[in-house]
Structures are given as C-alpha cells and as structure tokens.
Amino acid sequence: MQLVGKIGRGPEAAVPVGENLFSGIKRLKEERNAVVLAHYYQEPEIQDVADFVGDSLGLAREAQSTEADVIAFSGVHFMAETAKILNPGKTVVLPDLAAGCSLADSCPPEEFRRFVEARPGHAVVSYVNTSAAVKALSDVICTSSNAQGVISSIPEETPIIFGPDKHLGRYLVEKTGREMTLWPGTCMVHVLFSEKRIRQLKVRHPRAEVLAHPECEERVLALADHVGSTTSIIARAAESPAPEFIVATEPGVIHQMQKLAPEKTFLRAPGRSEEGSCEACSECPHMRLNTLEKLYRCLDDLSPEISLDEDLRLRALAPIERMLEVR
Ligand code: 13P
Ligand code: SF4
C-alpha cells in the first residue's frame, strides 16, 4: 500500500519527497523518542504502525511503563488524558483533538457531582470512559477488562455508585451480585446493534459464535457466546474452534482477529434497521477521526497536545492508581 500525504500544510500531512506515511512515522518516532499507542478501534493502518495496540487497560498500563518522551495516542480523548494523568512530564499528543466519546460526554461532571453528593457513604466506581473531572469525583476507576475485580475489591457492606455506562453497570450487577446505583449513560455505537437482525444472521450462519462488548444492550448480550473487553473478545476469536463469528463491537477489532485467525470468517453485527444498516454504522465516529496523516502530523508538530491543570490531574490520578493496583 503506497500512502503518501499531500504536499503543503493543509489538514493533511506534508511528507518529504521520497517518504511515505509509514516511513515518515517511523522516522519521526525515532527523532522524537516517541511511542505510538493505538486502540483496537483504530483504522488497520494505524494499528499496523503502532508500537502497542490494546484495550483501555492495556493502553493505560503501557502508558504507565513507557520510557518514551512522547506518547502519540491513537484513540480517543479520555484515553490520551489518562496517559497524561499518569505521565505529567511527557508530551502526550492525540492525532485529532475532536476525538471524544459519547459515553464520557453522557456524564457531565457537575451533574455527576450532584448524583454522588445525594448518595453519601457510597463508593464511586467510574468506567475509564470519563473525563478527568469525573475521575476526580471517583474512588476507583475500572475498564471492561478489570471491572469485576475492581468491584470485588470494595467491602461487601459498602454501597456502590457505578457510572457512566448503564449497560456495563447492569451486566456487572449480574456478574458480581452487587447492587449498584447506575448513572444512565450509554455508548452511541454499542446501543445500535439489533438483537433481531443478529438472530436473523445466526440463522444464515448457524456455526457462528456471537462476541459482544458489555456496553451492548441486555438483549444483545443475551445472544452472545462470549462477552468481554476488546482484548478478551479478540482472544476468544483466536481460541474458539468456531469457524465464524458475529462481532458486536466496533469493527476495528476485526483487523487483529484476522491476523490471529486468517482462516476464520468475521461478520459485523448488524445495526437496527430503523437506524439504517450501512457497513459504517458500527464504526465509532470519534475513534475514526484519527487518520494516518493526522498521526504523522501530530508527531511532526507535537500538537495537538493534551494538557491538564495539576490539581485536577492529582485528583484524577488517585483513583486510576487504585485501579492499577487491582490485579
Ligand atoms: P475496551 O477497554 O474493551 O477496549 O473498550 C473501550 C471502549 O471504548 C469500548 O467502547
Ligand atoms: Fe466511546 Fe463508544 Fe466510541 Fe468506545 S465506541 S470510544 S464508548 S463512543
């Protein structure tokens, strides 16, 4: 694949003559002593140039341990912000600063503060898909990989507030047996999968396993053979003897699944028909704002850079560190 950026300083990258975006990014990584961390929902070519590809927990751990001076975070804002909270002395850049998260946006800090203040004595467990300001109001953070362990680390007698994803929250109540007060947030991507159309697809592919992320609705999770974080469902696709899979999460994960199990077939779970059924429906519009050109450019300019008020950073750091201590 020959990927050459445009000449000139427009919204696209300017790659020197004789270089393509892949070789340009490699050169810039060396010049800047930079590491590229990418989430599984990124475009395949971004995953292929990254030094580490992972889920939210893996990326936070990688950000915690890197010795690079610059972290180019190909993911969404809360992920890059978490990397900055863990690494105040490093430059953290995000290819597109507009790459937000509908779930994080569904939990405004002031409203969440009132929600928490109205429930004294509760432990506040927040999903990592939140702003630093919401993290700062929390006792401990979790991701879809470690949520059950994090919840189990809270004393039985302590009531829990969980936010912001109500579907993940309901799934965790079922899994852990703990009653939790849930913030009513959702992910715009995962709520669109259609139970009815997945059932129809299963009729045509009877040997297919359904793999789902816990941000999906309960009726979709009820159809799943395996529910888990992006890392967990990629591992299941590789390990399972099934020849076909219906994937109910952002389809960026299919790139790694195909690499690990090229002989298997991976089908995107369909969205609700009333919402349309285009191939791109399940692509996260925030994650997909990042491109290889923008990654090149942010490494070149060291911009856009993530910055944080130090007092807020310290308040958001404590619950992240508590999470990272839970094994
Ligand atoms: P994972 O932590 O499972 O990768 O999920 C991140 C995310 O944004 C899900 O929508
Ligand atoms: Fe946020 Fe949903 Fe996109 Fe994940 S898929 S980053 S939860 S909007």
Side-chain angles (χ1 to χ4, degrees), residues 37 42 70-81 91-100 286-287 290-291 294-295 297-299 302-306:
L37 306 184
Q42 294 292 279
V70 174
I71 300 173
F73 211 114
S74 286
V76 289
H77 189 274
F78 76 80
M79 296 178 173
E81 191 171 63
T91 301
V92 179
V93 289
L94 181 65
D96 191 322
L97 208 51
H286 303 288
M287 286 277 182
N290 295 326
T291 62
K294 290 178 192 172
L295 175 59
R297 185 159 178 177
C298 81
L299 280 165
L302 294 183
S303 158
E305 188 182 347
I306 304 291

Side-chain angles (χ1 to χ4, degrees), residues 6-211:
K6 287 184 185 152
I7 303 296
R9 232 60 198 151
E12 305 296 322
V15 182
V17 174
E19 263 191 348
N20 61 34
L21 285 169
F22 286 112
S23 59
I25 288 169
K26 191 164 175 287
R27 172 181 56 79
L28 285 170
K29 280 199 291 190
E30 283 165 19
E31 285 175 13
R32 306 273 188 248
N33 187 25
V35 67
V36 175
L37 306 184
H39 189 264
Y40 290 125
Y41 293 166
Q42 294 292 279
E43 301 282 352
E45 63 267 26
I46 293 184
Q47 296 189 37
D48 289 345
V49 293
D51 298 288
F52 179 84
V53 189
D55 67 1
S56 306
L57 182 63
L59 289 162
R61 288 201 187 284
E62 202 62 26
Q64 189 191 30
S65 63
T66 185
E67 291 188 351
D69 296 319
V70 174
I71 300 173
F73 211 114
S74 286
V76 289
H77 189 274
F78 76 80
M79 296 178 173
E81 191 171 63
T82 302
K84 184 67 182 178
I85 291 166
L86 289 164
N87 290 287
K90 295 189 195 298
T91 301
V92 179
V93 289
L94 181 65
D96 191 322
L97 208 51
C101 168
S102 64
L103 188 49
D105 291 346
S106 72
C107 191
E110 272 316 306
E111 285 176 41
F112 192 64
R113 178 192 300 281
R114 286 194 287 276
F115 189 79
V116 169
E117 283 174 357
R119 293 164 179 82
H122 285 61
V124 181
V125 181
S126 291
Y127 195 32
V128 70
N129 298 40
T130 45
S131 63
V134 168
K135 287 185 176 77
L137 294 166
S138 310
D139 293 301
V140 61
I141 305 304
C142 71
T143 76
S144 53
S145 274
N146 63 11
Q148 291 185 46
V150 167
I151 289 166
S152 305
S153 74
I154 294 167
E156 281 284 337
E157 60 284 6
T158 307
I160 298 174
I161 290 171
F162 182 87
D165 191 88
K166 67 175 185 182
H167 296 301
L168 173 64
R170 188 214 54 251
Y171 173 76
L172 292 169
V173 166
E174 189 189 307
K175 284 284 159 192
T176 61
R178 296 291 291 270
E179 274 306 313
M180 302 198 290
T181 304
L182 307 180
W183 178 265
T186 57
C187 158
M188 64 188 288
V189 172
H190 288 87
V191 294
L192 279 187
F193 293 114
S194 159
E195 174 221 353
K196 183 173 152 211
R197 296 182 68 222
I198 294 173
R199 279 187 196 283
Q200 288 166 348
L201 195 58
K202 270 180 73 110
V203 171
R204 280 187 278 128
H205 298 270
R207 294 192 301 159
E209 271 192 4
V210 177
L211 309 177

